[in-house]
Amino acid sequence: MSRLDLSLVEIEVRSGPPITSEQFAQAVAARKALSRFLMGYRGALEEMLTKIKILKEEFEIVHDYSPIEHVSSRMKSPESIMAKVDLRGLERDFTVIRGNIFDIAGIRITCSFISDIYTLADMLTNQKDVEVLQVKDYVAEPKPNGYQSLHLILSVPVFLSDRVEEVPVELQIRTVAMDFWASLEHKIYYKFDKDVPAHIVAELRQAAEVANSLDQKMERLRTEVNSLQT
Ligand code: 0O2
């Protein structure tokens, strides 16, 4: 089965008239196909998280400092995958989804300093089994609303019993200040059902500038402190 069909996956839990044995078999097959499809993403997510954990531990042991402040991860729900597929007008087919939706497995890392973002991105993208599929640098070029973050789509091999799957993972890396701004903006965006009043949009834009100048100041301080220590 190569199609993502949530109506089949959910058939067992729907109330209503009893289902036929054929419908039941279809539901079981649909659920199995979905689990198999998502399993590769869970594997890729775990692999990337292990790479990040190793780097964090090594930094703490060797340098008494880690560029990684916090790591979070999530798997996109089948419902959100479906919503994105429909929004983009894509076919509800697993191969099409694999080739077009890159944020099914997602990781977010927060760092203290802007330079840490690039240090970390270089360390991960230079690993031999990691392929870079896409880079969106909203730190160098913030979005018009002020959003800043480095977005990478990385592909890692997942070794299964009979094949190797190259699976994409979305990695967002940003400073604590950028993350603070993004999480508030996200909440406001949904509170106003994506139609935020103009004065709030303008204030958020200003807040992004304040966050950015804090980041720049911290980076300068860090450079100065480091130069005094050597
Ligand atoms: P969620 O729930 O965070 O996963 P694409 O994902 O490629 O279809 P796009 O916009 O081209 O869509 O991708 P992009 O620019 O890489 O942004 C994707 C994700 O970045 C979003 O995921 C957000 O997590 C985050 N993001 C992008 N722009 C903004 C922004 O202006 N404000 C905030 N707070 N976050 C942003 P999703 O899919 O929206 O949802």
Side-chain angles (χ1 to χ4, degrees):
M1 181 167 299
S2 64
R3 290 184 63 77
L4 172 60
D5 192 338
L6 286 187
S7 60
L8 281 177
V9 172
E10 285 161 0
I11 205 165
E12 283 173 274
V13 291
R14 280 209 312 258
S15 57
I19 58 170
T20 64
S21 57
E22 194 191 339
Q23 283 173 319
F24 182 76
Q26 277 182 336
V28 171
R31 188 168 288 191
K32 196 166 176 183
L34 177 62
S35 302
R36 193 173 173 166
F37 176 70
L38 293 179
M39 206 197 74
Y41 288 92
R42 265 195 293 277
L45 194 66
E46 287 305 321
E47 278 185 29
M48 281 308 299
L49 286 171
T50 302
K51 287 176 182 297
I52 294 162
K53 186 167 172 266
I54 291 170
L55 282 178
K56 184 169 166 40
E57 280 178 13
E58 194 223 334
F59 258 97
E60 280 162 0
I61 292 168
V62 178
H63 306 285
D64 276 335
Y65 163 78
S66 168
I68 302 166
E69 281 291 334
H70 182 72
V71 182
S72 61
S73 66
R74 64 107 184 90
M75 284 285 294
K76 218 174 180 68
S77 68
E79 290 76 13
S80 329
I81 298 172
M82 192 82 119
K84 200 159 193 170
V85 165
D86 291 348
L87 190 73
R88 294 241 198 115
L90 296 170
E91 231 186 292
R92 292 179 174 186
D93 176 272
F94 287 130
T95 312
V96 173
I97 298 171
R98 166 76 42 101
N100 288 277
I101 307 283
F102 297 130
D103 65 343
I104 292 175
I107 299 177
R108 188 172 290 154
I109 303 177
T110 50
C111 304
S112 299
F113 301 100
I114 298 169
S115 53
D116 287 343
I117 296 175
Y118 296 103
T119 304
L120 202 55
D122 285 346
M123 281 174 178
L124 289 167
T125 54
N126 285 334
Q127 297 195 5
K128 264 204 322 224
D129 55 346
V130 175
E131 193 190 342
V132 182
L133 299 183
Q134 189 186 86
V135 179
K136 287 187 192 168
D137 190 347
Y138 298 123
V139 177
E141 275 189 60
K143 282 193 163 184
N145 63 354
Y147 177 76
Q148 283 194 288
S149 191
L150 179 65
H151 291 191
L152 306 170
I153 306 293
L154 305 175
S155 172
V156 281
V158 177
F159 292 83
L160 301 169
S161 59
D162 57 347
R163 66 198 186 284
V164 180
E165 280 184 358
E166 292 291 334
V167 184
V169 176
E170 187 197 57
L171 181 61
Q172 298 182 352
I173 317 179
R174 55 207 196 198
T175 64
V176 175
M178 292 171 194
D179 191 56
F180 180 38
W181 183 92
S183 52
L184 181 64
E185 191 266 356
H186 189 260
K187 275 180 209 142
I188 292 173
Y189 190 66
Y190 282 99
K191 197 172 180 74
F192 286 98
D193 204 13
K194 304 181 185 178
D195 191 16
V196 184
H199 73 280
I200 296 184
V201 171
E203 288 215 56
L204 276 169
R205 183 78 194 78
Q206 276 175 14
E209 278 160 23
V210 173
N212 184 242
S213 65
L214 177 66
D215 273 337
Q216 304 282 355
K217 186 170 275 194
M218 290 307 201
E219 190 78 44
R220 280 197 299 275
L221 276 171
R222 177 209 214 183
T223 309
E224 193 180 329
V225 169
N226 282 350
S227 70
L228 291 175
Q229 278 172 342
T230 52

